[in-house]
Amino acid sequence: SIDVICCGDTYVVHGAATNDSITLWTTSGDGTFIWPANLHTTYTPGPNDCASGSVLLTFTVDGYNPCNSVYDQMILNITPAPTANITNDSIDVICCGDTYVVHGAATNDSITLWTSSGTGTFSWPANLHTTYTPSAADEAAGSVILTLTVDGYNPCHSVYDQMTLNIVCPPTADAGINDNVCQGQTY
Protein backbone atom coordinates (compact mmCIF):
# COMPACT_ATOMS: atom_id res chain seq x y z
CA SER A 1 0.00 0.00 0.00
CA ILE A 2 0.95 3.67 -0.34
CA ASP A 3 0.19 6.64 1.90
CA VAL A 4 1.44 10.23 2.18
CA ILE A 5 2.29 12.63 5.01
CA CYS A 6 3.87 16.05 5.33
CA CYS A 7 7.51 16.26 6.40
CA GLY A 8 7.53 17.00 10.10
CA ASP A 9 4.39 14.95 10.77
CA THR A 10 4.32 11.47 12.26
CA TYR A 11 2.55 8.45 10.82
CA VAL A 12 0.64 5.77 12.71
CA VAL A 13 1.05 2.25 11.26
CA HIS A 14 -1.30 -0.64 11.97
CA GLY A 15 -0.13 -4.20 11.55
CA ALA A 16 -2.04 -7.46 11.87
CA ALA A 17 -0.53 -10.86 12.53
CA THR A 18 -1.60 -14.40 13.36
CA ASN A 19 0.46 -17.30 14.71
CA ASP A 20 3.29 -14.90 15.48
CA SER A 21 6.10 -15.17 17.97
CA ILE A 22 7.70 -11.78 17.23
CA THR A 23 6.60 -8.74 15.21
CA LEU A 24 8.93 -5.94 14.12
CA TRP A 25 8.57 -2.70 12.13
CA THR A 26 11.66 -1.55 10.18
CA THR A 27 12.37 1.24 7.72
CA SER A 28 14.53 1.73 4.66
CA GLY A 29 15.18 5.28 5.85
CA ASP A 30 16.54 7.06 8.89
CA GLY A 31 13.28 7.59 10.77
CA THR A 32 12.29 5.86 13.99
CA PHE A 33 9.37 3.87 15.39
CA ILE A 34 8.22 4.57 18.96
CA TRP A 35 7.59 0.87 19.65
CA PRO A 36 8.94 -1.13 16.70
CA ALA A 37 7.78 -4.47 18.17
CA ASN A 38 4.12 -3.41 18.55
CA LEU A 39 1.42 -4.11 15.97
CA HIS A 40 0.36 -0.45 16.07
CA THR A 41 3.05 2.20 16.47
CA THR A 42 4.08 5.66 15.32
CA TYR A 43 6.78 6.39 12.74
CA THR A 44 8.71 9.66 12.80
CA PRO A 45 10.48 10.34 9.49
CA GLY A 46 14.15 11.33 9.64
CA PRO A 47 15.80 14.15 7.68
CA ASN A 48 16.93 11.80 4.90
CA ASP A 49 13.37 10.43 4.61
CA CYS A 50 12.08 13.96 4.04
CA ALA A 51 14.87 14.75 1.58
CA SER A 52 14.27 11.60 -0.47
CA GLY A 53 10.49 12.04 -0.49
CA SER A 54 9.60 8.46 0.40
CA VAL A 55 10.47 5.56 2.63
CA LEU A 56 9.69 1.84 2.63
CA LEU A 57 8.16 0.54 5.88
CA THR A 58 8.39 -3.20 6.48
CA PHE A 59 6.31 -5.22 8.95
CA THR A 60 7.99 -8.57 9.69
CA VAL A 61 6.27 -11.41 11.53
CA ASP A 62 8.30 -14.34 12.87
CA GLY A 63 6.32 -17.55 13.16
CA TYR A 64 6.86 -20.38 15.60
CA ASN A 65 9.56 -22.93 14.78
CA PRO A 66 9.78 -24.44 12.13
CA CYS A 67 7.75 -21.76 10.24
CA ASN A 68 9.54 -19.03 8.32
CA SER A 69 9.15 -15.30 8.78
CA VAL A 70 6.76 -13.35 6.56
CA TYR A 71 6.57 -9.64 5.87
CA ASP A 72 4.48 -6.96 4.25
CA GLN A 73 5.61 -3.55 3.06
CA MET A 74 4.18 -0.13 2.36
CA ILE A 75 5.52 3.03 0.77
CA LEU A 76 5.20 6.22 2.77
CA ASN A 77 5.54 9.29 0.55
CA ILE A 78 6.70 12.42 2.36
CA THR A 79 5.73 15.82 1.00
CA PRO A 80 8.10 18.70 1.86
CA ALA A 81 6.59 21.13 4.36
CA PRO A 82 6.03 24.73 3.22
CA THR A 83 7.88 27.67 4.76
CA ALA A 84 6.91 31.35 4.99
CA ASN A 85 9.26 34.22 5.80
CA ILE A 86 8.79 37.97 5.63
CA THR A 87 12.26 39.28 4.86
CA ASN A 88 11.53 42.85 6.03
CA ASP A 89 12.15 43.71 9.69
CA SER A 90 9.54 42.26 12.05
CA ILE A 91 8.55 45.83 13.00
CA ASP A 92 8.81 48.77 10.61
CA VAL A 93 7.41 52.29 10.37
CA ILE A 94 6.15 54.56 7.60
CA CYS A 95 4.59 58.01 7.46
CA CYS A 96 0.90 58.59 6.76
CA GLY A 97 0.27 58.79 3.03
CA ASP A 98 3.21 56.51 2.20
CA THR A 99 3.04 53.00 0.76
CA TYR A 100 5.14 50.09 1.99
CA VAL A 101 7.00 47.52 -0.12
CA VAL A 102 7.01 44.15 1.61
CA HIS A 103 9.12 41.14 0.62
CA GLY A 104 8.44 37.49 1.35
CA ALA A 105 10.12 34.16 0.79
CA ALA A 106 8.47 30.76 0.56
CA THR A 107 9.40 27.18 -0.20
CA ASN A 108 7.26 24.20 -1.18
CA ASP A 109 4.34 26.54 -1.78
CA SER A 110 1.26 25.99 -3.86
CA ILE A 111 -0.30 29.37 -3.02
CA THR A 112 0.98 32.52 -1.29
CA LEU A 113 -1.28 35.29 0.00
CA TRP A 114 -0.72 38.61 1.81
CA THR A 115 -3.39 39.84 4.23
CA SER A 116 -3.63 42.72 6.66
CA SER A 117 -5.30 43.19 10.02
CA GLY A 118 -6.42 46.55 8.68
CA THR A 119 -8.39 47.69 5.65
CA GLY A 120 -5.54 48.74 3.36
CA THR A 121 -4.79 47.03 0.06
CA PHE A 122 -1.94 45.08 -1.52
CA SER A 123 -1.04 45.79 -5.16
CA TRP A 124 -0.51 42.05 -5.83
CA PRO A 125 -1.63 40.03 -2.79
CA ALA A 126 -0.59 36.69 -4.35
CA ASN A 127 3.00 37.81 -5.11
CA LEU A 128 5.86 37.38 -2.67
CA HIS A 129 6.95 40.99 -3.28
CA THR A 130 4.15 43.54 -3.21
CA THR A 131 3.18 47.03 -2.06
CA TYR A 132 0.80 47.74 0.82
CA THR A 133 -1.26 50.93 0.75
CA PRO A 134 -2.65 51.76 4.20
CA SER A 135 -6.23 52.97 4.46
CA ALA A 136 -7.37 56.02 6.44
CA ALA A 137 -8.54 53.60 9.15
CA ASP A 138 -5.06 52.01 9.24
CA GLU A 139 -3.51 55.46 9.66
CA ALA A 140 -5.97 56.34 12.42
CA ALA A 141 -5.22 53.03 14.20
CA GLY A 142 -1.48 53.71 14.00
CA SER A 143 -0.44 50.18 13.02
CA VAL A 144 -1.42 47.03 11.14
CA ILE A 145 -0.18 43.46 11.13
CA LEU A 146 0.85 42.16 7.70
CA THR A 147 0.63 38.39 7.26
CA LEU A 148 2.18 36.18 4.58
CA THR A 149 0.32 32.84 4.40
CA VAL A 150 1.83 29.95 2.43
CA ASP A 151 -0.25 26.92 1.47
CA GLY A 152 1.75 23.75 1.01
CA TYR A 153 1.00 20.76 -1.17
CA ASN A 154 -1.45 18.15 0.11
CA PRO A 155 -1.40 16.94 2.88
CA CYS A 156 0.71 19.76 4.36
CA HIS A 157 -0.97 22.56 6.28
CA SER A 158 -0.58 26.28 5.73
CA VAL A 159 2.13 28.24 7.51
CA TYR A 160 2.50 31.98 7.99
CA ASP A 161 4.80 34.79 9.10
CA GLN A 162 3.78 38.23 10.37
CA MET A 163 5.19 41.72 10.84
CA THR A 164 3.91 44.92 12.43
CA LEU A 165 3.78 48.06 10.30
CA ASN A 166 3.51 51.22 12.40
CA ILE A 167 2.05 54.26 10.67
CA VAL A 168 3.04 57.67 12.06
CA CYS A 169 1.17 60.76 10.94
CA PRO A 170 3.05 64.09 10.91
CA PRO A 171 1.99 66.75 13.39
CA THR A 172 -0.25 69.57 12.25
CA ALA A 173 -0.04 73.23 13.18
CA ASP A 174 -2.64 76.00 12.88
CA ALA A 175 -1.78 79.52 14.07
CA GLY A 176 -5.33 80.70 13.46
CA ILE A 177 -6.69 83.21 10.97
CA ASN A 178 -4.76 86.26 9.83
CA ASP A 179 -5.54 89.42 11.81
CA ASN A 180 -4.46 93.08 12.10
CA VAL A 181 -3.31 95.02 15.12
CA CYS A 182 -2.37 98.65 15.61
CA GLN A 183 1.20 99.52 16.38
CA GLY A 184 1.87 99.47 20.09
CA GLN A 185 -1.06 97.20 20.94
CA THR A 186 -0.69 93.67 22.22
CA TYR A 187 -2.39 90.74 20.61
Side-chain angles (χ1 to χ4, degrees):
S1 67
I2 298 176
D3 210 347
V4 62
I5 63 169
C6 186
C7 183
D9 290 347
T10 59
Y11 185 75
V12 177
V13 291
H14 300 282
T18 57
N19 303 320
D20 56 288
S21 64
I22 298 174
T23 60
L24 182 65
W25 285 97
T26 56
T27 177
S28 65
D30 64 340
T32 58
F33 290 97
I34 293 176
W35 301 287
N38 286 8
L39 290 175
H40 313 290
T41 188
T42 302
Y43 182 72
T44 302
N48 291 336
D49 294 347
C50 289
S52 69
S54 69
V55 64
L56 184 66
L57 304 180
T58 303
F59 180 60
T60 303
V61 177
D62 287 345
Y64 293 101
N65 199 11
C67 296
N68 293 327
S69 298
V70 294
Y71 67 91
D72 193 17
Q73 295 179 314
M74 69 164 291
I75 296 171
L76 182 61
N77 289 321
I78 304 166
T79 303
T83 63
N85 183 34
I86 297 174
T87 58
N88 299 62
D89 292 336
S90 61
I91 299 175
D92 212 344
V93 62
I94 61 171
C95 191
C96 285
D98 289 348
T99 59
Y100 185 74
V101 178
V102 65
H103 301 282
T107 60
N108 307 313
D109 55 306
S110 63
I111 298 172
T112 59
L113 181 65
W114 288 97
T115 56
S116 165
S117 64
T119 57
T121 58
F122 290 95
S123 57
W124 301 99
N127 285 6
L128 286 173
H129 311 289
T130 188
T131 301
Y132 183 71
T133 303
S135 66
D138 293 349
E139 292 175 352
S143 70
V144 292
I145 295 173
L146 305 181
T147 302
L148 172 62
T149 302
V150 176
D151 289 347
Y153 294 100
N154 194 24
C156 296
H157 299 287
S158 299
V159 294
Y160 66 91
D161 192 17
Q162 294 181 316
M163 69 163 292
T164 301
L165 179 62
N166 293 314
I167 306 163
V168 178
C169 292
T172 59
D174 185 355
I177 59 172
N178 291 337
D179 204 357
N180 296 316
V181 66
C182 289
Q183 184 176 1
Q185 292 181 327
T186 59
Y187 182 74

